[in-house]
């Protein structure tokens, strides 16, 4: 895979020499499976921990007048519903984003190898990152979509549409069939694919830039220092992709809560946009920047720490 300067990153043999991978060969089935497990560990728990932020963000996207601010929202929810209310919707969040993490990170490594090493070995590095991340997210969203639909309905309706993942799944399937779980797939792709393209390409290039500014090759730093770079690069990438994907995030929340039976996605989005206008697409952005920046930073930290624990190289920097 060529860089924009025409220089190629280390070959598989060079990486094998630089990093003792033990029984896990680079770009093997076991390597890709390990990356999928790393994605599950990175995404499921981190998204679950920020459920209180996501809950308030989603409700304010649907009804900006519902709460005056995040802290007042949490105080109100806690006073009425206790800690369970603050973390309401954590189950579909945990399951859905665990599946999404598996697809996002695991298939990113798969497609990066296919596009960069096999199909287009002389392609521009950034184009490979963008193509691999878009392909991976397309698959990951198929895993995520049913759980995202349930989560949004649970969080944006008062009283709640459902109180548990099982109840939400049963109610949607009973009323709308399995298709009801996927009616938000198009706007979800519209939100998540640009988000992930920005997340992975920005991360890879940011990490490379950090090592360039430090003045020494990545391999000259210890694993703790490398994972620190991953955290910093992840936070910068998170801020960028939060802004890029926010309008689509608002539309997904609106569609899942307000779309009428039998209404097409295009017609529903046109109607919703007519109601909220351009400024309405940016409701909740500051909260989402904090949430996604922190979330992305810790995801890259956890993912690369897991890879280091397995004896694999951290992501990026070549």
């Amino acid at each position: 895979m060529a860089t924009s300067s025409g220089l190629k990153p280390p070959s598989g043999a060079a990486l094998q020499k630089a990093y003792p991978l033990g029984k896990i060969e680079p770009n093997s089935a076991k390597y890709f499976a390990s990356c999928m497990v790393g994605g599950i560990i990175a995404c499921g728990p981190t998204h679950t921990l920020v459920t209180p932020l996501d809950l308030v963000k989603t409700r304010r996207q649907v009804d900006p007048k519902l709460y005056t601010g995040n802290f007042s929202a949490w105080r109100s929810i806690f006073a009425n519903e206790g800690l369970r209310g603050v973390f309401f919707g954590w189950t579909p969040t945990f399951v859905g984003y665990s599946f999404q993490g598996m697809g996002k990170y695991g298939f990113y490594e798969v497609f990066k190898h296919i596009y960069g090493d096999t199909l287009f070995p002389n392609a521009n590095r950034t184009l490979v990152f963008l193509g691999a991340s878009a392909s991976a997210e397309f698959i990951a969203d198929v895993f995520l979509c049913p759980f995202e639909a349930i989560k949004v309905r649970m969080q944006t309706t008062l009283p709640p549409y459902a109180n548990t993942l099982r109840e939400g799944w049963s109610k949607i399937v009973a009323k709308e069939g399995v298709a009801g779980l996927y009616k938000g797939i198009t706007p979800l792709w519209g939100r998540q694919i640009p988000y992930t393209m920005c997340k992975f390409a920005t991360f890879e290039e940011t990490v490379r830039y950090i090592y360039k500014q430090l003045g020494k090759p990545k391999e000259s730093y210890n694993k703790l220092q490398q994972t620190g770079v991953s955290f910093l690069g992840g936070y910068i990438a998170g801020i960028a992709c939060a802004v890029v994907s926010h309008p689509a995030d608002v539309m997904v929340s609106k569609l899942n809560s307000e779309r009428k039976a039998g209404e097409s996605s295009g017609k529903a989005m046109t109607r919703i946009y007519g109601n909220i206008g351009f400024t309405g697409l940016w409701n909740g952005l500051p909260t989402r920047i904090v949430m996604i920046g922190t979330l992305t930073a810790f995801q890259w930290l956890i993912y690369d720490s897991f890879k280091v624990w397995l004896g694999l190289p951290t992501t990026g920097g070549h």
Side-chain angles (χ1 to χ4, degrees), residues 93-113:
T93 298
F94 178 76
V95 177
Y97 282 93
S98 292
F99 277 122
Q100 190 216 29
M102 176 185 72
K104 182 195 297 279
Y105 283 87
F107 282 103
Y108 174 68
E109 301 284 358
V110 171
F111 286 116
K112 188 165 67 168
H113 172 59

Side-chain angles (χ1 to χ4, degrees), residues 7-270:
L7 299 176
K8 291 186 177 182
S11 64
L15 286 174
Q16 179 75 58
K17 183 177 180 181
Y19 296 94
L21 303 183
K23 297 180 180 179
I24 303 179
E25 297 294 329
N27 300 321
S28 64
K30 189 172 183 180
Y31 173 80
F32 295 134
S34 298
C35 293
M36 289 181 182
V37 173
I40 292 171
I41 296 170
C43 291
T46 51
H47 274 279
T48 303
L49 285 173
V50 296
T51 297
L53 270 172
D54 190 37
L55 173 67
V56 173
K57 171 192 70 71
T58 304
R59 287 183 177 176
R60 293 183 74 185
Q61 286 174 343
V62 173
D63 184 2
K65 299 178 181 178
L66 185 61
Y67 305 116
T68 57
N70 294 337
F71 289 103
S72 64
W74 291 323
R75 282 196 298 268
S76 174
I77 296 169
F78 184 78
N80 294 323
E81 306 169 51
L83 187 62
R84 180 182 181 276
V86 176
F87 278 88
F88 189 65
W90 75 267
T91 310
T93 298
F94 178 76
V95 177
Y97 282 93
S98 292
F99 277 122
Q100 190 216 29
M102 176 185 72
K104 182 195 297 279
Y105 283 87
F107 282 103
Y108 174 68
E109 301 284 358
V110 171
F111 286 116
K112 188 165 67 168
H113 172 59
I114 292 173
Y115 296 158
D117 297 334
T118 305
L119 296 179
F120 312 107
N122 296 314
N124 176 271
R125 178 189 63 248
T126 304
L127 291 179
V128 170
F129 298 152
L130 291 170
S133 56
S135 301
E137 189 60 40
F138 183 89
I139 296 171
D141 288 344
V142 175
F143 299 148
L144 170 64
C145 191
F147 304 98
E148 181 75 358
I150 295 167
K151 176 187 77 73
V152 170
R153 292 198 192 192
M154 288 173 63
Q155 291 181 335
T156 58
T157 52
L158 294 172
Y161 177 83
N163 288 297
T164 65
L165 169 59
R166 180 180 295 180
E167 181 186 358
W169 187 288
S170 299
K171 288 181 73 172
I172 293 175
V173 172
K175 293 181 179 180
E176 306 171 46
V178 176
L181 295 169
Y182 281 94
K183 73 178 187 180
I185 187 65
T186 301
L188 186 63
W189 279 328
R191 179 188 80 184
Q192 289 297 134
I193 290 177
Y195 166 91
T196 300
M197 291 171 71
C198 183
K199 173 180 178 175
F200 280 81
T202 303
F203 173 81
E204 295 262 17
E205 295 297 347
T206 299
V207 167
R208 178 175 173 271
Y209 179 79
I210 291 172
Y211 284 117
K212 182 178 179 180
Q213 295 305 304
L214 291 174
K216 292 191 293 184
K218 169 182 170 179
E219 292 77 14
S220 64
Y221 297 94
N222 62 43
K223 301 303 182 185
L224 181 62
Q225 292 169 326
Q226 289 186 31
T227 53
V229 170
S230 296
F231 181 84
L232 177 59
Y235 211 105
I236 294 170
I239 293 172
C241 57
V243 175
V244 167
S245 64
H246 190 72
D249 183 61
V250 173
M251 189 59 71
V252 168
S253 297
K254 288 282 190 180
L255 273 173
N256 278 304
S257 63
E258 298 181 15
R259 185 176 174 185
K260 299 175 182 178
E263 188 177 34
S264 68
S265 295
K267 186 176 180 180
M269 286 189 283
T270 300

